[in-house]
Amino acid sequence: MALLLLASCGGNDQGQTTGADTLAVIDNPKESELIGVGGRFFSVPSPMQAAMAIKEAGLKYQKELAIPLEKGDAATARMSQALMLGAYGADMSYATVHKDAQRALATLESIERLGAKLELSNAFDKALAERFKANKGSEDSLMRFSGMAFRAADQYLKSNDALDVSAWMLAGGWVEGMHLTLADPAAAKNAKLVTRIGEQKGTLDGVLALVDGSNVDGQSNALLMGLKELRSAMEGVKTTYVYEPPVTDAAKKTTYINSKSTAEVSPEQLAAIAAKVAALRNLILS
Amino acid sequence: MTRTLTALLFVAVAGTASAQDICQGIASRCEKHITSNYIPDGQFYRALLQGDEMAEFNLTLFGGATYRVAACSGETDGNLVFSVYDTSKERNLLFTNKDHVNAPFWDLAIASTLDVVVEAALDPSKAGSGCAVMLIGFKR
């Protein structure tokens, strides 16, 4: 049954608008189901933010922490390819933020090859690589290109009934961001980074919901189990939140969210979290 | 009358346009609100809304960052109402673009990391149904 989609609406500047004035017909019920009706959606923080936090904490850049570049070529299953592609996205962010343009570009080439296997050449193509090469001196430009490319890939996947691939990519990127943060023993001595790990208890709930929600054929069972074990390891992390009234500067179109939060992670909890993240990463690499 | 004719003409010409095509156009317009000083978060959020239905987006916002939230629907800005709440029991309202003429984008400067829920709904005075697109960017 066709569903009318009203792509609203010009005319409101004349103050006459009472309804939508442009109509289009969606004749594919599956597609309308895909985009959800009044549903819940979960966001996973960009792995770029994990890379930035690592750099700001002053941890040493160690490119050997990233996934070996040839590893992606060995991935044959769609799930493995998608997890690896997401993880490479985090590795590329890590290299970019640390101004290792050569490694970032080499990682992009691995992403491009995996992207082709997953039919994501619209997002990761030679043109993107050329833009990277042309802007390799500008960290900000590279970070932006990367974000745009991953968003284009996500849009393509969500528009083509591939929610499982989208979820795997996001999960792979998040796990790799956690790995890059935790793999250096110096992280355990950095209060800000330890807090950042603890703050992602809620994020993990979102990752779990994404993977679980797209696990129609049981392919993600092992991944889900690993994520649930990590969630158990994070259960004891003590978080607090105190609401403070926000302040809005309308002229700057900015609202300052002043609420305060804390996340306390004990050394034992951190070790348990690191072990579960390592297990999840092994799953991605297997 | 003119609006009705326009609508009928669009249907006749467009035939069976897909939600994908319609959302694509909205996404392209919405992307312009994530300007060059923001890094896209790498994700695409969209929902088909009808009537008073609401889409709920769950996010973690990290302290020290400023996030730009862009929310679009239809062919012009201002058709989507979005509100940001914390996830405490009280569910405190942190921001709503309703107070700012349905502004299509807004910046949230975060002092301390928090989980939020963004609720998005069509402005009932402007649209009965449509594709809602939300995009997020951030800067240090």
Side-chain angles (χ1 to χ4, degrees):
Chain A
M1 190 171 135
L3 173 68
L4 278 178
L5 176 72
L6 310 178
S8 62
C9 118
N12 53 328
D13 47 346
Q14 281 89 33
Q16 298 170 344
T17 305
T18 54
D21 61 1
T22 317
L23 288 143
V25 178
I26 298 175
D27 64 348
N28 181 350
K30 194 177 174 190
E31 189 168 48
S32 58
E33 283 163 22
L34 165 69
I35 63 176
V37 177
R40 292 179 76 206
F41 301 83
F42 297 91
S43 163
V44 180
S46 164
M48 195 70 77
Q49 290 180 285
M52 287 173 171
I54 293 166
K55 190 181 180 193
E56 281 161 16
L59 264 58
K60 191 182 161 198
Y61 171 60
Q62 303 175 67
K63 65 179 171 191
E64 62 276 14
L65 293 182
I67 296 174
L69 295 174
E70 68 283 2
K71 197 79 185 170
D73 297 327
T76 51
R78 201 166 162 76
M79 179 181 177
S80 177
Q81 290 165 350
L83 283 166
M84 198 87 79
L85 196 156
Y88 275 138
D91 289 345
M92 185 168 69
S93 299
Y94 182 63
T96 301
V97 164
H98 290 87
K99 301 185 189 299
D100 185 352
Q102 197 179 354
R103 176 73 182 197
L105 196 57
T107 309
L108 178 61
E109 285 164 4
S110 296
I111 288 173
E112 205 180 300
R113 290 195 294 276
L114 278 173
K117 289 179 186 172
L118 290 164
E119 296 162 5
L120 293 173
S121 296
N122 66 315
F124 308 111
D125 58 7
K126 297 283 177 207
L128 177 65
E130 290 307 317
R131 288 174 88 189
F132 251 68
K133 279 178 196 162
N135 291 275
K136 64 182 179 186
S138 169
E139 178 194 332
D140 287 344
S141 296
L142 298 187
M143 289 193 288
R144 187 165 163 76
F145 294 155
S146 171
M148 288 166 76
F150 273 87
R151 185 174 66 199
D154 196 43
Q155 181 172 349
Y156 176 83
L157 291 168
K158 285 172 178 165
S159 303
N160 287 280
D161 205 5
L163 297 185
D164 50 356
V165 179
S166 167
W168 292 329
M169 272 177 55
L170 292 169
W174 183 75
V175 169
E176 184 71 357
M178 291 285 277
H179 158 76
L180 292 169
T181 310
L182 287 161
D184 185 340
K189 294 171 192 151
N190 187 292
K192 275 191 179 176
L193 277 182
V194 172
T195 301
R196 174 60 66 93
I197 294 294
E199 287 169 346
Q200 296 191 65
K201 198 171 161 181
T203 305
L204 175 53
D205 289 334
V207 176
L208 267 163
L210 269 175
V211 176
D212 197 23
S214 62
N215 186 28
V216 285
D217 52 8
Q219 273 193 83
S220 302
N221 287 351
L223 176 63
L224 272 173
M225 190 180 294
L227 289 168
K228 284 176 183 169
E229 285 177 11
L230 175 57
R231 184 63 180 81
S232 295
M234 294 186 90
E235 187 57 41
V237 171
K238 192 179 164 190
T239 58
T240 64
Y241 172 79
V242 178
Y243 168 74
E244 296 281 348
V247 174
T248 291
D249 183 334
K252 288 185 178 171
K253 293 186 186 294
T254 300
T255 293
Y256 298 88
I257 310 288
N258 299 315
S259 300
K260 298 281 186 292
S261 67
T262 62
E264 286 177 36
V265 187
S266 71
E268 295 75 25
Q269 286 166 342
L270 191 68
I273 291 167
K276 295 302 177 191
V277 168
L280 273 166
R281 190 172 185 262
N282 286 338
L283 181 73
I284 292 173
L285 293 178
S286 64
Chain B
M1 179 67 175
T2 306
R3 279 152 38 84
T4 306
L5 287 173
T6 305
L8 290 171
L9 183 64
F10 185 89
V11 172
V13 172
T16 55
S18 69
Q20 184 180 329
D21 294 338
I22 292 161
C23 291
Q24 171 63 49
I26 295 166
S28 299
R29 188 164 48 74
C30 211
E31 273 175 12
K32 291 172 186 158
H33 296 309
I34 308 292
T35 50
S36 62
N37 46 338
Y38 293 86
I39 301 164
D41 75 344
Q43 285 160 83
F44 178 71
Y45 314 92
R46 69 174 188 173
L48 179 63
L49 298 174
Q50 294 181 85
D52 60 357
E53 283 173 341
M54 195 171 278
E56 189 181 294
F57 302 89
N58 297 259
L59 290 85
T60 300
L61 303 178
F62 289 124
T66 296
Y67 291 85
R68 172 156 293 189
V69 178
C72 310
S73 186
E75 293 174 347
T76 56
D77 284 339
N79 296 325
L80 203 62
V81 177
F82 71 95
S83 305
V84 183
Y85 297 88
D86 67 21
T87 55
S88 68
K89 279 180 194 163
E90 294 76 22
R91 204 174 162 84
N92 299 294
L93 175 66
L94 302 172
F95 170 76
T96 179
N97 72 340
K98 218 175 189 176
D99 295 340
H100 304 278
V101 208
N102 296 356
F105 69 88
W106 205 261
D107 287 353
L108 304 172
I110 310 299
S112 201
T113 300
L114 78 165
D115 294 325
V116 299
V117 173
V118 180
E119 287 184 352
L122 298 168
D123 183 332
S125 69
K126 296 180 178 177
S129 66
C131 176
V133 171
M134 193 175 86
L135 300 177
I136 296 173
F138 63 92
K139 65 179 180 181
R140 284 175 276 192

